[in-house]
Amino acid sequence: MLRPYQLDSVAQVGAAFQSGYKRVILCLPTGAGKTVIFSDIAHRAALKGKKVAILTHRRELLSQAGRLNSCDVLMVETLNNAIKRGLDLSQYDLLVIDEAHIGNFRKVLEGFKGFVIGATATPVSNPPLKDSYNAIVCPVGIETLIKDKWLAVPKTYAMHPVDTSKLATARGEYTEASLDDAFNRPKVYEGVVSEFVKKWRESRPRKT
């Protein structure tokens, strides 16, 4: 049973396709269940006789056989080898790209005429995703998921405050160099491990 916002996600992706967009980014926060959502869409498409392939970097997805047994689930390495052996992607009506921001499947999409769903929690990449996709669906944000108790309220622990006023940005993300300059200092991480172990002992047997 899908959660209400997951049902809404399925509906929004369908509406985007019906509006004429063929390549849609499905953007949801980590923990919202992107895999559950695109698996449901893939399952529905397969029931209609459509040929579906899910392209993934994660071996965990391969174990989700129940809902995906009507689809082809391919690891990126497997896909590249299959293409070299002559796999024709035009046989598929729908491709689902897991972790679309990584970009390993960019060349795969070149010339593909079918529908594409790119699932990600971080729709920022270089080159930009807009080069490969023409619509984005963002059904729900972290604040709503926390308010509706689908995600836990985060608790942050810090040993020493960090001056973030000098952090630089590029393409909407903090640059690696400025992050390294701000955080990679002995004072920042001094005592972090011992404090973590102390809090872990206090919280057992909870997950950490």
Side-chain angles (χ1 to χ4, degrees):
M1 180 72 72
L2 295 187
R3 300 168 181 173
Y5 70 84
Q6 292 173 338
L7 288 170
D8 183 49
S9 301
V10 172
Q12 288 195 36
V13 171
F17 284 154
Q18 291 173 6
S19 296
Y21 299 108
K22 298 198 73 171
R23 297 187 175 190
V24 179
I25 287 291
L26 172 63
C27 178
L28 290 107
T30 300
K34 290 182 293 297
T35 302
V36 173
I37 294 167
F38 69 63
S39 296
D40 184 82
I41 295 172
H43 179 66
R44 291 169 186 248
L47 288 178
K48 295 178 180 178
K50 303 300 182 182
K51 183 91 169 145
V52 182
I54 298 177
L55 315 181
T56 181
H57 305 267
R58 301 179 295 139
R59 294 192 179 277
E60 310 93 87
L61 193 60
L62 299 180
S63 65
Q64 298 194 14
R67 297 191 65 115
L68 300 178
N69 56 10
S70 54
C71 309
D72 292 338
V73 183
L74 304 172
M75 294 285 292
V76 59
E77 298 88 354
T78 305
L79 177 66
N80 288 334
N81 291 333
I83 290 176
K84 290 177 182 177
R85 293 194 300 269
L87 173 67
D88 183 9
L89 285 179
S90 65
Q91 66 179 290
Y92 294 105
D93 301 293
L94 171 65
L95 296 182
V96 179
I97 313 293
D98 188 28
E99 305 294 351
H101 62 278
I102 295 177
N104 292 23
F105 298 110
R106 198 178 307 277
K107 287 189 177 181
V108 170
L109 295 179
E110 292 179 1
F112 181 71
K113 303 299 183 183
F115 292 92
V116 181
I117 298 172
T120 180
T122 51
V124 177
S125 70
N126 187 19
L129 287 172
K130 68 179 179 64
D131 290 352
S132 300
Y133 297 86
N134 48 33
I136 184 169
V137 167
C138 303
V140 69
I142 293 175
E143 298 85 355
T144 300
L145 292 172
I146 293 174
K147 178 178 68 70
D148 292 344
K149 303 188 184 305
W150 296 115
L151 290 180
V153 177
K155 295 181 180 180
T156 303
Y157 300 94
M159 296 297 294
H160 299 282
V162 175
D163 181 11
T164 59
S165 63
K166 296 181 181 179
L167 290 179
T169 60
R171 297 186 299 276
E173 296 284 328
Y174 290 121
T175 64
E176 187 173 341
S178 66
L179 285 171
D180 186 68
D181 185 58
F183 286 91
N184 194 15
R185 298 174 179 272
K187 182 179 179 181
V188 174
Y189 54 79
E190 193 174 61
V192 167
V193 174
S194 58
E195 185 67 14
F196 173 83
V197 170
K198 176 184 174 184
K199 292 188 180 297
W200 173 76
R201 285 174 177 158
E202 293 172 352
S203 66
R204 289 169 66 187
R206 297 178 182 178
K207 292 183 179 181
T208 304

